[in-house]
């Protein structure tokens, strides 16, 4: 279950973006970067539910934005994908590259990104290609969409969900049962030792 303040935050954040004054202050602050992308909180790892709530707020804001082309490097080449004879004449294949240490990519998501096929260790960057469309511009948008989805997925991978009261109570019951079990076993061992001692004296 999400913390109540975050739930209230998300409810307010769903107001139409055409009324920015109606958005919560915390949400508006996430959109102050020069690239129009929200600035991720400075969290290396997500170690508790509080960290996850901060990360979730950023993910929510990031999902509502598009990655500008100015933040990535694009190159083009001839595609072997669909397009008939046009494929061999026009550079429709789009290749996107983006440094992993870009300030708009969350720190806590980077380790997950390194484990994906899109990470190039020699250049420490993300590389994505697209040959889906006959149009160069459409392939560029496809690359940007894939990058956006990758960032969201990597950022969400290590979120820690806050434990519900039912789960907490279940854990407490299990702990009590385990303690009782250990206590019973200890009493039995003590009784066995006493019985052995009494036989030795006899």
């Amino acid at each position: 279950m999400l913390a109540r303040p975050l739930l209230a935050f998300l409810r307010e954040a769903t107001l139409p973006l055409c009324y920015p004054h109606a958005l919560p202050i915390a949400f508006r602050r996430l959109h102050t970067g020069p690239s129009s992308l929200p600035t991720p909180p400075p969290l290396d790892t997500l170690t508790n539910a509080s960290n996850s709530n901060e990360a979730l707020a950023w993910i929510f804001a990031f999902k509502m934005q598009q990655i500008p082309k100015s933040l990535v490097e694009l190159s083009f080449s001839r595609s072997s994908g669909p397009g008939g004879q046009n494929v061999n004449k026009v550079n429709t294949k789009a290749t996107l590259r983006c440094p992993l240490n870009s300030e708009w990519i969350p720190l806590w998501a980077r380790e997950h990104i390194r484990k994906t096929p899109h990470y190039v260790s020699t250049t420490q960057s993300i590389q994505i290609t697209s040959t889906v469309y006959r149009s160069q511009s459409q392939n560029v948008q496809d690359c940007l969409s894939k990058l956006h989805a990758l960032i969201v997925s990597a950022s969400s991978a290590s979120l820690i969900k806050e434990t519900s009261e039912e789960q907490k109570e279940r854990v407490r019951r299990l702990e009590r049962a385990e303690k009782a079990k250990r206590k019973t076993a200890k009493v039995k061992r003590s009784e066995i030792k006493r019985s052995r001692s009494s036989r030795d004296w006899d």
Side-chain angles (χ1 to χ4, degrees):
M1 294 176 63
L2 296 175
R4 288 184 178 179
L6 180 61
L7 288 174
F9 169 87
L10 294 177
R11 281 198 297 270
E12 293 178 8
T14 55
L15 292 174
L17 290 180
C18 56
Y19 300 102
H21 62 279
L23 294 174
I25 294 176
F27 185 84
R28 292 201 299 271
R29 285 175 180 170
L30 288 172
H31 294 75
T32 56
S35 67
S36 80
L37 291 178
T39 302
L43 301 170
D44 292 327
T45 57
L46 305 181
T47 57
N48 52 52
S50 177
N51 291 159
S52 289
N53 285 344
E54 287 188 67
L56 188 59
W58 178 86
I59 293 169
F60 182 86
F62 181 78
K63 282 183 176 180
M64 302 178 72
Q65 301 295 319
Q66 293 183 342
I67 299 174
K69 289 189 291 186
S70 59
L71 295 182
V72 300
E73 176 189 337
L74 293 167
S75 60
F76 306 97
S77 58
R78 292 182 181 179
S79 173
S80 59
Q85 295 180 351
N86 184 60
V87 169
N88 299 319
K89 297 179 180 179
V90 182
N91 293 336
T92 56
K93 178 181 178 180
T95 299
L96 175 154
R97 295 180 182 85
C98 175
L100 184 61
N101 63 354
S102 299
E103 62 180 9
W104 56 273
I105 298 178
L107 296 174
W108 73 85
R110 296 180 186 182
E111 185 59 34
H112 183 80
I113 293 174
R114 289 189 183 97
K115 299 176 183 178
T116 68
H118 298 296
Y119 178 68
V120 181
S121 58
T122 54
T123 57
Q124 298 185 25
S125 63
I126 301 168
Q127 179 172 305
I128 296 173
T129 61
S130 178
T131 58
V132 177
Y133 302 99
R134 299 181 184 183
S135 164
Q136 187 182 94
S137 61
Q138 286 180 301
N139 283 330
V140 168
Q141 289 303 316
D142 187 50
C143 284
L144 291 170
S145 296
K146 289 177 179 177
L147 176 61
H148 191 278
L150 175 65
I151 300 301
V152 171
S153 175
S155 302
S156 305
S158 54
L159 287 175
I160 299 174
K161 295 182 180 180
E162 188 173 351
T163 308
S164 67
E165 285 302 320
E166 293 81 2
Q167 290 173 319
K168 290 179 182 178
E169 181 57 32
R170 189 180 303 113
V171 170
R172 285 193 287 265
R173 287 199 301 269
L174 291 172
E175 288 176 345
R176 288 195 295 267
E178 184 62 27
K179 287 180 181 178
K181 184 179 178 180
R182 287 198 299 267
K183 185 176 180 180
T184 301
K186 185 176 180 181
V187 170
K188 287 183 178 179
R189 287 196 299 270
S190 298
E191 290 176 350
I192 292 172
K193 288 181 180 179
R194 281 198 299 270
S195 64
R196 287 175 179 173
S197 298
S198 61
R199 284 199 301 270
D200 291 341
W201 281 102
D202 294 341

